Amino acid sequence: MKKGLCFLLALFAIGSVCPLTACEKEKKCEEEFFSTVNLAAGKKYTLSPAPTYQYCTDPDDKIQLTDGKTTDQHFWTQKGTVGWAHCPMVLITIDLGKVEPISHLSFTSAAGRAGVTWPYAAVVLVSEDGKKFFQTDEIMKSEVERSAIPFDNEKYAIRKITSKNLRTKGRFVQLALFTFGPFIFTDEIEIFRGPESLLQEPIQGTPIESIKEYGDKLRTGILIHKRYESDVRDLNEKLITLSRKGKLDELLKNLLFKTTETTRNKLRNRPVPEDPSFKTIFPYNEDHARLFALHGLLWNQEYGFTFKAEAVNRWEKYSPFDVDPGKSVPSSVDLIKGEKRSIAVNLYNAMEEPVDVFAEVDNKGKNILPAISLFHVPWTDTLQSVPVQAALVPVKLDGAKSDSITVYPGLAAQIWITIDGSRISEPGNYDFTLLFKNKEGEKIAEKNASFKLWPIDFPKKTSLFIGGWDYTNSLPAYSVNEKNLHSFLRICRENHVNAPWGNPRIMMQYKLTDNKNTPVEIDTKSMENWLKLWSDAKEYFIFLSAGGSFGKHKVNTPEFEDSVGKWAALWRDWFKKKGVDPHRIHLLVVDEPGLSHASIDNLVAWGKAIKKTAPEFHIWEDPIFSNPTKMPESVLSISDVLCPNRPQWLANPKEFTKYYPEAQKSGKTLHFYSCSGPVRLLDPYNYFLLQAWHCFQIGAKASFFWALGDGADASSWNEYLLSRNGFTPMFIDPNDSQVFSAKQLAAIGESAQDYEILSMLAGEIEKSSSDPKKKDAAEKAKKVLKEGVDRVLSSPGTDKIEWKTVTDRSLADQVRKEVLEQLLLLK
């Protein structure tokens, strides 16, 4: 019964046996609805998924949410807390034992430190039978609106979050918590008894058949509207700035502000897209496009153009509203025969309507069309609401004319132009013009461009190992499956990926027997298929994920050492029969040793046993010590290859630069890997491209990134549904057969080429140093090479991996040209 109804009954009751005043009646009604009887106390519940946060997960998680005890102080390090890592949604279902009247619910949580954020939604559902659930409230929204203290994700706090809007009934009560962050934590959940009259009323609320689908729609809606609000805010800020500069008259300013607010209201009232194939490609709809069109008017007011093409740095991070025609960059590129290099051009539409643009290539009478490929780089949103231009979508060229690209007013469009040096017969300078025409065939913009093909041949195979834990021996492998495998492999090869990774299933499918002649049997089928899949690989990398035993044999026992040794010898002999040199096999025994003492003990035990019978195999390890001087000697001694984490190196260059060169002197090979995320916010230049330059500087032989196929269980085209950080440098939809490259992967591909050219010059310097005629030139080239690489890697900002970092992203191309000049002089 509603409070207002109680009030009316009190006013109009006649002949009541309890002559209470209206205020007394209302107070009694309030007390009935908000009693202190906690129905959840001591009740059983289920958790989905199981708790995963290591510092508070314990067997008592199954009772700690209803035991009447509340955690304080360091919330997520206390065993009384229940926590999840990398779970976008958790579901807590409490069984009250019977159908009960429910007035309100509360739960305790904490956030504001160490990347822990408040849930963006806390949905309460009830059911009488545990099968059909009804949504009755979303607590966070009402709590945020009601609370005088803001929910600050930057200031630590423990809070009891309460719903007072339930007024329902049920035996099963579900609390669904949703987060955009990496963690969810909660403690005591209380469910309070309401008046008995609630048992006579039907359950009010929306029936929910799938809480995941409900959560996906809720999350998508929140992030879509966050996108709208951000774009409106950016537009209003631009209006204010131009108004202050005197570039908008009062009438136009007022009209634009009014139209912006009208469009904002339309966007707020738009329903969330029901289409499961929704993509976060700008604009989302006609109202979103109208918002950008208002910005197009501002371009026209500020710069006076209607449609414009400008060359831009291909690695730079822009915003959808960015345009500065006064800061054009050269639209030229240097490459050698066999290489692929790219340039980028932005198109700006300041007209009232979208324009379908067709690009034509005027090759100035030279046959360069087969060497030119075009890509459209659309704007897509991220889980962090930071829009990016990353996906490289092929644009078909039919002769010299392309398919159409829709350029929306006020929304910068980007064209990515790739030149393939293997398709040009003669070295030299080549000029061409990109003509941009509308559907009527009228030219609306043009951009001159050029490239120089140097008379130097690129090797058929690159020498730097490039890879990223693709695990294609076992499908599905993250977002890679049978449907998109072919496209995935093609794009990998196009970008010089030559060092595939196999997961533990490929070598760890073994069986111990009682046969003295063959005490260990191995399953080679998966390995054989994988080798065929990657027959062109330079070397092979395999993650063993070795534990504390081999079958029934524990580490550090004679039986363990003997059986592992026989297992390793079997694999060595099998590789030889297949024509694969065992020296090409790298075994990651334990991933990131240093996270626990047990991992190091297991590494040493397995490493010794393998080396005893199959010394050809490389023990490959990626130690995770932020200060490498703290790494146990045993890790160094057992490893043939050490692969430090490059972001750790950048954070502590003094200790890393001191330690690892000494390891090299002792005979260890160095590789590099990076595993940061989310990938769309990582700088293609600093994080991806410069890793190969860093490899060259320190003598490392490989550049790895986690992980080529890891799309975090969602389509790259809709990051709103990511369950955690995504890492793939491509755009992958598990339900689509076509995989698209992205700027991050293009940077990896170009980095392999950069490394090769740096290595080619180093090789020519070594050869020329013993030639009296070339000795002086070799010394000069040596200085140019060293100082150039140092200049690139020491440039301000290059030690930061976020794409938002301000840095000179043209410097690598400049130094690369200097290297080519020296290489040509020595050849």
Side-chain angles (χ1 to χ4, degrees), residues 313 315 685 689-690 693 788-796 798 807-818:
N313 186 294
W315 306 128
Y685 180 82
L689 187 129
L690 292 192
W693 285 70
V789 172
D790 290 347
R791 193 162 86 247
V792 168
L793 293 173
S794 63
S795 178
T798 54
T807 191
D808 182 358
R809 295 180 175 86
S810 66
L811 192 54
D813 285 341
Q814 295 173 30
V815 171
R816 188 175 173 279
K817 186 175 181 179
E818 295 168 12

Side-chain angles (χ1 to χ4, degrees), residues 47 162 249 341 378 509 542 611 634 688 727 774:
L47 303 172
T162 304
D249 62 50
R341 310 291 295 189
Q509 300 294 320
I542 298 163
K611 282 297 185 182
S634 57
F688 289 98
F727 295 92
K774 293 184 176 182

Side-chain angles (χ1 to χ4, degrees), residues 53 75-76 82-88 90 107-122 140 144 150-159 161 177-186 219 226 383-384:
Y53 188 70
F75 195 79
W76 43 78
V82 180
W84 293 261
H86 306 298
C87 294
V90 300
F107 71 98
T108 304
S109 189
R113 187 182 296 158
V116 183
T117 58
W118 297 103
Y120 67 82
M140 288 302 299
V144 168
F151 282 80
D152 189 347
N153 285 321
E154 302 299 325
K155 186 176 181 180
Y156 180 72
I158 300 173
R159 298 180 69 158
I161 301 167
L177 301 177
F178 300 87
T179 184
F180 292 131
F183 307 106
I184 294 179
F185 297 103
T186 187
R219 165 186 279 231
K226 187 176 181 181
L383 181 60
Q384 296 74 26

Side-chain angles (χ1 to χ4, degrees), residues 639-756:
S639 303
D640 299 301
V641 182
L642 292 171
C643 185
N645 178 275
R646 183 168 178 260
Q648 279 192 332
W649 186 305
L650 295 176
N652 188 11
K654 182 179 179 181
E655 295 296 343
F656 276 76
T657 306
K658 178 182 176 182
Y659 181 86
Y660 280 102
E662 291 299 318
Q664 282 175 300
K665 290 178 183 177
S666 69
K668 306 302 178 184
T669 300
L670 288 192
H671 292 176
F672 256 146
Y673 86 105
S674 293
C675 59
S676 301
V679 68
R680 300 295 167 233
L681 304 188
L682 296 177
D683 192 334
Y685 180 82
N686 284 354
Y687 183 79
F688 289 98
L689 187 129
L690 292 192
Q691 181 158 297
W693 285 70
H694 201 167
C695 283
F696 181 82
Q697 185 186 56
I698 67 169
K701 304 301 181 184
S703 178
F704 294 111
F705 296 93
W706 179 273
L708 296 182
D710 186 359
D713 309 317
S715 168
S716 302
W717 296 103
N718 183 6
E719 289 201 356
Y720 291 167
L721 299 183
L722 290 182
S723 60
R724 51 179 171 78
N725 280 343
F727 295 92
T728 177
M730 313 177 193
F731 270 64
I732 305 178
D733 181 345
N735 298 311
D736 191 345
S737 61
Q738 187 172 6
V739 176
F740 296 87
S741 186
K743 287 189 179 182
Q744 287 80 8
L745 183 63
I748 293 174
E750 287 200 19
S751 80
Q753 296 176 163
D754 288 353
Y755 180 94
E756 203 63 36

Side-chain angles (χ1 to χ4, degrees), residues 195-210:
E196 292 293 321
S197 59
L198 291 174
L199 295 175
Q200 308 306 316
E201 299 179 15
I203 295 178
Q204 301 296 319
T206 305
I208 303 296
E209 294 185 5
S210 167

